[in-house]
């Protein structure tokens, strides 16, 4: 996507005009214009010159934004692109306008209505008072000439905008008042006192000045609030360091960040910001990565570790090699994602865009009709003109145009601060509409690497003895399961004996000798062919297999030493995240290539609604398409093989620590690689969509009520009459109200599940979704404990089955019918264990 800066836009009608003009250029496949950031995102083969020319023909100006967002090397230009230049200008205009407006109101309202004193020169000299009002109004109009230049220019280009409404209203009031002033002068010359006083009542100078002053006030408030909506993006840009300390010829040299090249060696001292992405060559430290991931706990770094631009080195000295610089750094890509999302439009904005495109011409027609109707009804020209002016100045297309983009910008910024990156406005809108969440097992629900879960030695041996034997045997193996045992042994500070005559038998096991004694290790099939295996140990291995674990048997000198179980363990936050999604009314499905028994065991521990096992990498895409027949599907994955499924799903969410291909294919990226961020993203999406609905409701209801009120529809019914000045005040506050409402999203707690409300899931019949409870249990130590708890729970008539794990400390109970929490808790307590929590 190529981004452009567009100048001259003042309301939603302007952005709709620009979008229509550019979309008509040959080669443009998509175009979205953001009034909020005065930016335009264009995709296609059209040249920049053609696009700029189309914008110019529409009556506006455009320039490419190349290098603005996608180069960390230019932090100053990044912030400069979003710097709020409009508010100071509007503030200055407002202050000067107010000075003259106060004097005008004193003369026109204070003296004539309340009898406030004036210099003797004005006593009885109504023409002088009229000329003073004319002069003061003219000054206010000159100060706010931008409304007239932009408004009449848009009328000339046959694309009227909000400024056209303001310009027409103020001009009509000024011209009619000027006519009344000249008519009053003629009446005073002729000595027609009654006519003079009548014409004084026809002055609308104060209305013209008030319209301009109040709308300038509203524009300033709106501009100031709009500036706050980009605070998150500007905060990310400020993270980009301006310089880096490189090592050249053994000496430290401070250079501008844009001069750092891939392969350069740079150093970072405590308290300094890391300039580019790189690999640690020397040193140890603790790095605060909260600016990128939202994770508050600092991360330890040592030789071989990866560091990212914009993160803070807290303690040690680091020497690193630059790996990714400029637009390739993680920080730069985050900024690019956030800015691209701001440049795109959510589907919900299409209705407002269509209305905004025809809004101003329709309002002008309504204003003309209003004046004609009141004249035909026998009212004076001044009265009819006041109603017509009220219609012009109360109408506000800006509120409609801003309703969606301000909420999207704030919501997207909130997500970025918490490590949740939405690539487009559409993905932010659609995530909250999910009815089914499909989770890849490996690396998403689980850690993605095997760990030792159980060490079960035979009688006469300790766990340390068994682990030492396994360590000696597995130390020379490259198998992933061997790495799990090696990691556990090193964690326990064990030493491996020197293994000789090592042989790896693919698909079976290992053999070796140490100190002249034969060692064996592997599956039950392999070990049972070497030595006899007691039935008790066989039963334990089957139980471990049912729990989704891989049992490895080890023997020494012809005797079985025990079993070590290895499994890809569930992430600590996965059960809670899945429970939260289910509480939102979302059906959670786990996809895995594992066999059905292993998959169901892991699915039960995680608490998912459905397990689809035996899915090959190329089969995930077809599974997603089948699920889409039941409702909107969100796919969460991290591997290369997840990319097709991520693309096929309505919304693809990639775990940030996953493969680059998966991240590229996804619509949402989770920087913290935590499954708990999936329900957080759904909450944020729902809150943003709710905020957009509130904004659109206010914008539509404001105009639906305001325009008839201004036109005088309620005068014969209820006697309600709207002065043009109050109409201007209402218009000035409408856009400000919409933007302020969007800023409330900054207070939203996306990780708070207490306020989750269930969205009725019509995609799955009630009977297809079994009732489950997840019990958090303390005190279970081994497989025997699990068997006791399982037996006790399944003894209850209401319980269909119970899946118990002492490793995760959970029991997932599937119910036939409802049962009280107390009954479940009592069944476990009677076996000598403690229930700390029951998750529904």
């Amino acid at each position: 996507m190529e981004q452009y800066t567009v100048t001259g836009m003042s309301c939603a009608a302007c952005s709709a005009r620009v979008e229509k003009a550019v979309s008509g250029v040959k080669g443009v496949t998509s175009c979205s214009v953001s009034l909020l950031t005065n930016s335009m995102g264009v995709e296609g083969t059209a040249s920049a010159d053609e696009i700029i020319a189309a914008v110019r023909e529409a009556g506006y100006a455009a320039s490419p934004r190349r290098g603005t967002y996608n180069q960390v090397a230019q932090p100053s230009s990044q912030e400069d692109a979003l710097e709020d230049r409009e508010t100071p200008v509007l503030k200055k205009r407002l202050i000067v306008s107010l000075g003259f407006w106060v004097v005008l109101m004193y003369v026109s309202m204070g003296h004539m209505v309340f009898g406030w004193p004036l210099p003797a020169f004005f006593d009885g000299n109504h023409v002088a008072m009229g000329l003073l009002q004319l002069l003061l109004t003219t000054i206010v109009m000159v100060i706010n000439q931008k409304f007239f230049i932009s408004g009449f220019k848009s009328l000339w280009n046959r694309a009227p905008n909000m400024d056209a409404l303001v310009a027409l209203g103020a001009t009509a009031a000024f011209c009619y008042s000027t006519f009344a002033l000249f008519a009053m002068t003629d009446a005073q010359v002729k000595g027609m006192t009654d006519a003079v006083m009548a014409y004084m009542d026809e002055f609308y100078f104060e209305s013209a000045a008030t319209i301009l002053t109040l709308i300038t006030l509203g524009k300033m408030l709106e501009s100031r609030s709009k500036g706050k909506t980009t605070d998150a993006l500007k905060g990310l840009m400020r993270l980009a360091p301006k310089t880096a300390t490189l090592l050249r010829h053994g000496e430290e040299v401070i250079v501008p960040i844009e001069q750092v090249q891939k392969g350069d060696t740079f150093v970072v001292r405590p308290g300094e910001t890391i300039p580019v992405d790189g690999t640690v060559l020397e040193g140890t430290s603790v790095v605060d990565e909260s600016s990128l991931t939202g994770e508050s706990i600092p991360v330890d770094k040592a030789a071989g570790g990866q560091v990212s631009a914009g993160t803070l080195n807290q303690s040690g000295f680091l020497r690193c090699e630059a790996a990714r610089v400029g637009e390739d750094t993680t920080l730069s890509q985050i900024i690019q994602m956030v800015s691209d999302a701001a440049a795109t439009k959510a589907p919900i904005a299409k209705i407002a865009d269509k209305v905004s495109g025809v809004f101003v011409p329709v309002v002008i027609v309504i204003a003309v009709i209003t004046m004609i109707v009141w004249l035909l009804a026998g009212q004076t020209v001044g009265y009819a003109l006041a109603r017509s002016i009220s219609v012009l100045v109360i109408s506000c297309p800006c509120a409609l145009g801003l309703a969606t983009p301000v909420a999207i910008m704030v919501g997207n910024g909130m997500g970025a601060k918490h490590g949740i990156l939405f690539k487009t406005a559409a993905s932010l809108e659609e995530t909250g509409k999910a009815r089914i969440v499909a989770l890849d097992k490996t690396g998403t629900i689980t850690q993605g690497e095997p760990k030792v879960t159980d060490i079960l030695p035979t009688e006469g041996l300790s766990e340390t003895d068994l682990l030492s034997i396994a360590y000696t045997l597995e130390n020379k193996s490259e198998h992933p399961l061997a790495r799990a045992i090696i990691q556990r042994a090193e964690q326990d500070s064990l030493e491996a004996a020197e293994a000789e005559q090592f042989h790896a038998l693919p698909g079976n096991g290992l053999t070796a000798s140490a100190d002249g004694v034969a060692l064996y290790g592997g599956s039950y099939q392999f070990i049972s062919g070497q030595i006899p295996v007691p039935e008790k140990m066989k039963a334990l291995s089957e139980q471990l297999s049912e729990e989704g674990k891989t049992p490895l048997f080890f023997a020494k000198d012809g005797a079985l030493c025990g079993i070590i179980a290895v499994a890809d363990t569930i992430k600590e936050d996965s059960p809670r995240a899945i429970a939260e999604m289910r509480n939102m009314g979302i059906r959670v499905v786990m996809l895995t290539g594992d066999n059905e028994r292993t998959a169901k065991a892991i699915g039960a521990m995680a608490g998912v609604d459905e397990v689809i096992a035996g899915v090959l990498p190329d089969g995930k895409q077809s599974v997603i398409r089948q699920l889409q027949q039941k409702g909107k599907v969100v796919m969460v994955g991290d591997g290369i093989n997840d990319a097709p499924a991520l693309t096929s799903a309505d919304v693809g969410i990639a775990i940030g620590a996953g493969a680059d291909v998966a991240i590229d294919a996804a619509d949402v990226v989770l920087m913290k690689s935590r499954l708990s961020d999936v329900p957080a993203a759904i909450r944020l999406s729902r809150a943003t969509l709710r905020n957009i609905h509130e904004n659109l409701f206010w914008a539509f209801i404001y105009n639906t009520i305001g325009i008839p009120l201004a036109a005088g529809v309620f005068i014969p019914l209820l006697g309600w009459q709207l002065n043009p000045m109050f109409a201007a005040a209402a218009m000035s506050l409408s856009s400000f109200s919409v933007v302020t409402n969007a800023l409330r999203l900054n207070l939203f707690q996306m990780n708070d599940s207490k306020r989750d409300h269930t969205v009725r899931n019509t995609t799955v019949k009630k009977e297809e979704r079994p009732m489950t409870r997840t019990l958090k249990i303390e005190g279970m130590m081994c497989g025997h404990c699990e068997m006791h708890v399982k037996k006790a729970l399944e003894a209850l008539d209401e319980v269909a089955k119970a899946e118990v794990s002492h490793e995760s400390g959970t029991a997932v109970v599937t119910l036939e019918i409802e049962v009280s929490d107390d009954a479940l808790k009592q069944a476990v307590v009677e076996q000598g264990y403690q229930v700390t929590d029951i998750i529904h």
Side-chain angles (χ1 to χ4, degrees), residues 425-497:
S427 63
L428 178 55
E429 177 183 337
E430 294 298 313
T431 301
K433 298 178 181 178
R435 292 294 176 267
I436 301 171
V437 172
L439 304 174
D440 174 54
K441 187 206 78 172
T442 306
T444 303
I445 294 177
T446 65
Q447 298 287 354
E449 58 180 20
K451 302 278 187 182
V452 172
T453 60
D454 301 85
I455 302 176
L456 306 173
T458 55
E459 292 183 12
L461 292 176
S462 66
E463 291 188 2
T464 302
D465 294 334
L466 176 57
L467 188 56
S468 297
I469 293 169
Y471 185 24
T472 299
L473 189 59
E474 300 282 8
N475 199 28
K476 290 189 176 182
S477 175
E478 297 296 328
H479 196 279
L481 298 183
R483 287 199 293 273
I485 292 175
I486 293 169
Q487 184 180 26
R488 175 60 182 271
E490 291 176 346
Q491 179 182 323
D492 291 355
S493 302
L494 300 182
E495 292 185 5

Side-chain angles (χ1 to χ4, degrees), residues 174-393:
F174 180 80
C175 291
Y176 181 75
S177 300
T178 304
F179 164 77
L181 174 61
F182 280 101
M184 184 186 71
T185 304
D186 182 62
Q188 184 164 321
V189 170
K190 295 177 180 179
M192 303 167 62
T193 306
D194 292 340
V196 170
M197 298 307 297
Y199 279 122
M200 282 289 290
D201 294 334
E202 296 294 311
F203 282 177
Y204 286 97
F205 287 121
E206 76 282 355
S207 293
T210 302
I211 288 169
L212 296 172
T213 304
L214 285 179
I215 291 177
T216 300
L217 170 63
K219 281 284 188 181
M220 189 202 73
L221 294 174
E222 175 191 328
S223 175
R224 186 175 179 182
S225 297
K226 280 164 60 178
K228 291 181 180 179
T229 64
T230 58
D231 282 350
L233 183 54
K234 287 184 282 190
L236 287 171
M237 292 175 177
R238 294 188 191 104
L239 295 175
K242 297 179 176 61
T243 61
T245 304
L246 300 184
L247 280 179
R248 289 180 175 172
H249 309 296
E251 295 184 357
E252 294 184 6
V253 180
I254 299 176
V255 300
I257 197 70
E258 59 266 23
Q259 293 183 15
V260 180
Q261 303 294 322
K262 183 178 179 180
D264 284 348
T265 300
F266 63 91
V267 296
V268 187
R269 290 180 169 78
E272 293 182 347
T273 301
I274 294 170
V276 296
D277 290 5
T279 304
V280 178
L281 300 176
E282 180 186 344
T284 59
S285 182
V286 175
V287 176
D288 180 2
E289 296 183 341
S290 60
S291 56
L292 298 188
T293 66
E295 184 62 66
S296 59
I297 301 174
V299 181
D300 293 328
K301 299 293 180 182
Q306 304 298 313
V307 292
S308 300
T311 56
L312 181 65
N313 180 27
Q314 289 190 330
S315 57
F317 177 88
L318 295 176
R319 184 168 65 88
C320 311
E321 180 181 337
R324 292 190 291 187
V325 300
E327 63 184 29
D328 295 326
T329 65
T330 303
L331 175 61
S332 182
Q333 290 173 1
I334 292 173
I335 293 172
Q336 185 67 47
M337 285 184 194
V338 176
S339 59
D340 280 351
T344 60
K345 283 194 175 180
I348 196 173
K350 291 179 180 178
I351 298 174
D353 288 345
K354 288 180 180 178
V355 173
S356 299
V358 298
F359 185 86
V360 175
V362 169
V363 168
I364 293 174
V365 171
I366 292 174
V368 173
I369 293 174
T370 297
M371 186 169 183
I372 293 173
V373 169
W374 282 112
L375 288 173
L376 293 176
Q379 292 291 345
T380 64
V381 174
Y383 185 92
L385 185 64
R387 305 287 75 75
S388 179
I389 293 171
S390 295
V391 170
L392 288 173
V393 298

Side-chain angles (χ1 to χ4, degrees), residues 773-793:
R773 302 284 188 275
T774 301
L775 283 68
K776 294 286 188 179
I777 303 172
E778 289 184 355
M780 295 190 296
M781 303 296 293
C782 63
H784 294 289
C785 300
E786 294 175 355
M787 292 174 66
H788 287 302
V789 174
K790 179 180 176 71
K791 186 176 180 180
L793 289 170

Side-chain angles (χ1 to χ4, degrees), residues 72-152:
V72 173
Q74 298 178 12
S76 58
S77 65
Q78 295 168 1
E79 289 187 59
D80 188 61
L82 291 179
E83 184 182 348
D84 184 8
R85 299 185 183 85
E86 190 177 6
T87 300
V89 174
L90 288 169
K91 186 176 181 181
K92 184 177 180 181
R93 268 173 50 188
L94 176 63
I95 292 172
V96 178
S97 296
L98 279 172
F100 290 98
W101 175 81
V102 168
V103 177
L104 173 62
M105 293 303 290
Y106 184 92
V107 173
S108 62
M109 303 294 289
H111 173 70
M112 297 187 66
V113 177
F114 301 108
W116 292 349
L118 285 176
F121 173 77
F122 292 104
D123 288 343
N125 193 343
H126 299 296
V127 173
M129 289 178 59
L131 287 172
L132 179 60
Q133 292 182 45
L134 171 68
L135 177 62
L136 291 170
T137 303
T138 302
I139 294 172
V140 173
M141 293 174 72
V142 171
I143 293 169
N144 295 281
Q145 59 185 283
K146 187 176 179 181
F147 289 122
F148 300 95
I149 295 172
S150 172
F152 289 122

Side-chain angles (χ1 to χ4, degrees), residues 406-426:
V406 291
I408 291 291
M409 174 61 85
V410 177
N412 202 41
M414 276 287 289
K417 285 196 295 186
H418 289 82
I420 302 171
L421 303 179
F422 296 91
K423 290 186 178 180
T424 63

